Amino acid sequence: MSPTSGSPVFFAPDPWKLYRDRWTNYPGGSTDDPASFPKFLRASPNLTLADDHEFWNDYPHASAWLPWSESRRGRPLGQKMDRAFEVFQAALNCHPEQVSNAGALGGLLSDKARTFSIDLGGVRLAFLDTRTRRDRFDADRPRFAPASWLGLVREWLRDGPGVRILFLSQPLIERKVNWFRRLTHTMGDVNLPDYEKDFAALWEAICEAPGDVLIVSGDIHWSRLYQVKRASSRNEVFEAIASPLALIPGNLQDRGESSGKVDWNRPRGRASWARRYAINEPATYSTIELRTLQSGVSPDVRVSINAWGRPGGLNTSARPLASSSFTLRGRLS
């Protein structure tokens, strides 16, 4: 569907034109208009992760509703869209010193600008792209990320104490595609549990980390916060999902359960989660505030997460629509 008219898209879009129109122009107004995307981008530093819609819904799987979509990664249209993503989005993740060598820029944009880590001292951040290099779910050995990317994040999770915040391209607490959709290839979305080997490896590393972990991702249909605990693990895990201002309302009953399980097919591969909040109010955005509680190499960090209504919208309030606070321990006792 067209993001502007809602009409079906019968022909493949030009990703370069779409990025150029949305990122450098503002239809019907000035780029200095407070509502313009260029002004939004200039308001603060930005880091990005890809969604499947940088290509088409559920990339690299073909869509029954988009006759021009391709059936696997690496074909001409997907490559064109990937290149546009590199130039407009992955480039935002590069430090200026990294782009001084033009000869190395192409490799940087296709690799280290997509999965990387940042050490802020007491708080350590990692970003894992699970969209642009994932295989089809029915490949012989399906992966949601290259082995080197997943290996970087697993090492980051193991390597010493400290509070960790892991940013993913899609939620980690999800369900597999059901058997009927697998059989008929009419998938809605292939989720991370559909990549069983990578899913298990990432969950094992998270639950064995020497400090608490906050997972952050987004979803077009709702915002939520879950608290996760595996009985045999010493650390606490939280997953915060933020919806965008352009939220498409979803069925909250489908994601608003008060508790549940996540399984990853290992001897100890099960954890329980409990809901802190779940909302599907239209046009929300989330903020995360971090406050160090003590000095030292591995301080504890107080986290406050708020989901707000869009400024000027019907649900705007001086108070957040949902909020929660908790402490992440940098070193387990």
Side-chain angles (χ1 to χ4, degrees):
M1 304 296 284
S2 167
T4 53
S5 68
S7 302
V9 178
F10 296 107
F11 302 98
D14 179 353
W16 295 100
K17 183 178 186 303
L18 288 175
Y19 271 122
R20 184 172 62 250
D21 288 348
R22 287 162 175 72
W23 286 55
T24 64
N25 302 316
Y26 179 57
S30 164
T31 56
D32 290 326
D33 188 301
S36 75
F37 195 54
K39 190 171 182 64
F40 175 81
L41 287 173
R42 294 196 301 266
S44 68
N46 294 277
L47 297 172
T48 70
L49 279 175
D51 184 67
D52 55 336
H53 290 266
E54 312 305 334
F55 306 87
W56 56 83
N57 187 54
D58 211 24
Y59 172 84
H61 308 86
S63 171
W65 315 111
L66 301 173
W68 46 264
S69 62
E70 298 167 336
S71 60
R72 65 177 184 269
R73 182 165 53 84
R75 291 191 169 186
L77 179 60
Q79 288 185 330
K80 184 178 181 180
M81 292 177 167
D82 189 82
R83 180 58 178 156
F85 168 78
E86 284 185 350
V87 171
F88 278 89
Q89 294 208 58
L92 295 176
N93 299 333
C94 300
H95 191 279
E97 294 178 355
Q98 293 178 299
V99 301
S100 59
N101 182 352
L105 184 57
L108 176 66
L109 294 177
S110 65
D111 185 24
K112 293 182 180 179
R114 303 195 189 203
T115 292
F116 54 94
S117 62
I118 300 174
D119 192 346
L120 301 180
V123 179
R124 305 171 65 195
L125 312 178
F127 299 76
L128 174 59
D129 179 343
T130 64
R131 289 292 195 180
T132 65
R133 292 290 184 270
R134 69 176 187 167
D135 301 317
R136 287 182 57 90
F137 83 99
D138 52 0
D140 289 339
R141 296 181 179 178
R143 311 209 63 155
F144 59 58
S148 59
W149 294 2
L150 184 57
L152 182 151
V153 171
R154 292 175 68 191
E155 182 179 355
W156 169 83
L157 284 161
R158 290 192 301 262
D159 185 22
V163 166
R164 289 162 171 79
I165 303 179
L166 173 61
F167 295 84
L168 298 175
S169 300
Q170 56 197 121
L172 195 56
I173 299 177
E174 262 293 1
R175 302 183 181 94
K176 289 183 178 180
V177 172
N178 67 49
W179 68 269
F180 179 79
R181 289 185 172 182
R182 283 176 177 269
L183 181 66
T184 59
H185 288 261
T186 56
M187 290 85 71
D189 283 288
V190 171
N191 299 313
L192 294 183
D194 291 288
Y195 299 86
E196 294 180 356
K197 182 177 178 181
D198 284 359
F199 187 71
L202 184 54
W203 265 116
E204 286 292 325
I206 288 171
C207 289
E208 295 299 324
D212 293 338
V213 181
L214 170 63
I215 302 162
V216 180
S217 189
D219 194 283
I220 192 66
H221 301 297
W222 36 70
S223 298
R224 70 175 192 237
L225 177 64
Y226 289 164
Q227 183 173 358
V228 188
K229 181 67 178 178
R230 183 171 70 172
S232 60
S233 297
R234 298 171 58 207
N235 68 341
E236 293 278 2
V237 178
F238 296 83
E239 185 183 57
I241 305 300
S243 69
L245 288 169
L247 177 142
I248 299 173
N251 182 1
L252 191 58
Q253 291 180 342
D254 197 33
R255 294 296 182 276
E257 305 97 326
S258 60
S259 62
K261 303 285 186 182
V262 57
D263 296 281
W264 55 91
N265 298 326
R266 289 290 178 91
R268 296 185 299 158
R270 167 169 284 199
S272 301
W273 56 262
R275 182 188 68 205
R276 288 252 176 152
Y277 66 75
I279 61 171
N280 63 347
E281 296 287 336
T284 62
Y285 67 98
S286 296
T287 59
I288 300 176
E289 180 182 348
L290 308 175
R291 181 164 57 89
T292 301
L293 296 181
Q294 63 190 54
S295 60
V297 177
S298 304
D300 293 344
V301 173
R302 188 66 178 172
V303 180
S304 297
I305 301 180
N306 295 303
W308 304 88
R310 176 177 59 86
L314 295 176
N315 56 5
T316 300
S317 170
R319 300 169 64 95
L321 300 173
S323 63
S324 185
S325 297
F326 50 89
T327 298
L328 296 177
R329 298 165 297 166
R331 185 190 297 272
L332 303 179
S333 57

